[in-house]
Amino acid sequence: MTQNLLITNIENLVQVRSTGIDKLAGSQLSTLPIVKNAFLYIEDDKISSYGTMDSLNPEIYNQSDYLSEIDAQGKSVFPSFCDSHTHLVYAGSREIEYVDKIKGLSYEEIAQRGGGILNSSKLLNSVSEDELYEQSLERIHEIITQGTGAVEIKSGYGLTLEGEMKMLRVVQRLKETTPLIIKSTFLAAHALPSEYKGRQTEYVDYVVREILPAVAAEKLADFIDVFCDKGFFTLAETAKILEAGHKFGLIPKIHANELALSGGVQIATKYNALSADHLEYIEQAEIDAFLSSQTMPTVLPGAAFFLNLPFSPVRRMIDAGLPIAIASDFNPGSSPSGNMKLMMSLAMVNYRMTAQEVLNAATINSAYAMGVSDRAGSITPGKIANIFITKNIPSLEFFPYAFGSDLIETVILNGEIL
Ligand code: NIG
Ligand code: FE
């Protein structure tokens, strides 16, 4: 049985919302509610109540025979991060391409030489499901210590029926065996396998007619994604795949506008995608498409940094009244890190976001972008008790400012201290 947990003397209890909020847009992003000198009470696996220390009802101590207490003097408590876009189930690594990139090869050039996603596909198809699970589990443990409490994980390195099923079964196993909230996304349209070179239409047919129905039959995916961009999948192919996914109840989340003004945002919003992600290439037409939709614009600061991409015009998007979510894109090619604290620091420097904005973007808005707003993303009674306690920090801003420091002292998931 889980113990009830009382955290007292919290210097800053961050992101408190008495009722659930599904997303924050425009100027709402700059408000981050904090209770100073606070307590937080957790019953079983849920957040039960919070408030200032002088409002702490002494009866809480008598309510439970199983009460443990943490004194958080000088420390802050945050809701765990929601990382709404990752590819963390993969085999091996691709540091050689990292070196090639530094020598001057572009992401597209590396992809054309059979590197990139196809390199990961070869590695993934050469390991067993157990081996893939073990490698991925290590990454899950890493992001847990870095403060993530919910994560979305995509397929897309299998690119065959067997490979895609293997990836998604591993995600399923991670759902069952780890304390994280996990959502899975079907992304067979991530790259064209080399055996389909010159026959992209046939590959899209294979995805739609064979892989997708098999995945849906085993209920292995919550969402469907397409890498809809220059040199990858076209608008017509994306539409075809999303329509096929819709028949199985799969909501879209789209890779869009990373490499060009490809129309990805327009197709994402047209098909009511939960999110459209990357967004390096954004003009007024894309902003307008987002404004008339419920799709969460999501930026991936790790990929933009690591690939040296032009930065998304996030200030302009927020000023236009849009919400923004931040995710890590944790993957072996474009963002070999799932560290959401680092993503916040990168977003502040490169997108000129404030500490309040990045925190909202990495919790409430990214919870929305992965469909878990009812359970995660804020300190709200009734939500799952996924939180972390920092080391002693002098202010909220210090947390993203000290960008290379590990400032997380205690992680609590489902009300349990890890
Ligand atoms: O989100 N943009 C497409 N896919 C991944 C890259 C995956 C890889 O290079 O392995 C991304 O950045
Ligand atoms: Fe991605």
Side-chain angles (χ1 to χ4, degrees), residues 298-356:
T298 300
V299 290
L300 309 170
F305 161 73
F306 200 72
L307 298 181
N308 228 340
L309 298 174
F311 296 121
S312 310
V314 169
R315 271 285 38 106
R316 185 173 161 204
M317 294 163 78
I318 294 175
D319 292 345
L322 288 178
I324 289 281
I326 291 173
S328 73
D329 199 13
F330 195 175
N331 77 73
S334 63
S335 186
S337 167
N339 186 333
M340 287 293 282
K341 173 177 173 289
L342 176 60
M343 300 304 145
M344 284 177 31
S345 304
L346 292 173
M348 284 182 71
V349 172
N350 293 328
Y351 306 139
R352 317 316 277 175
M353 294 174 79
T354 65
Q356 289 74 18

Side-chain angles (χ1 to χ4, degrees), residues 197-219:
K197 202 159 183 218
R199 299 186 294 129
Q200 183 145 321
T201 314
E202 282 174 51
Y203 180 64
V204 171
D205 279 344
Y206 171 54
V207 169
V208 164
R209 295 214 191 114
E210 292 184 46
I211 315 184
L212 173 63
V215 164
E218 283 193 35
K219 295 197 178 8

Side-chain angles (χ1 to χ4, degrees), residues 166-201:
K166 177 163 74 183
M167 283 188 84
L168 290 167
R169 284 194 191 115
V170 166
V171 180
Q172 184 62 35
R173 232 166 116 188
L174 294 170
K175 285 186 186 182
E176 288 159 7
T177 57
T178 74
L180 290 182
I181 299 169
I182 297 180
K183 290 282 185 175
S184 56
T185 300
F186 175 64
L187 174 62
H190 193 198
L192 186 68
S194 35
E195 55 278 24
Y196 279 90
K197 202 159 183 218
R199 299 186 294 129
Q200 183 145 321
T201 314

Side-chain angles (χ1 to χ4, degrees), residues 85 87 154 255 278 300 329 331:
H85 179 143
H87 310 248
K154 300 172 193 294
H255 278 77
H278 276 292
L300 309 170
D329 199 13
N331 77 73

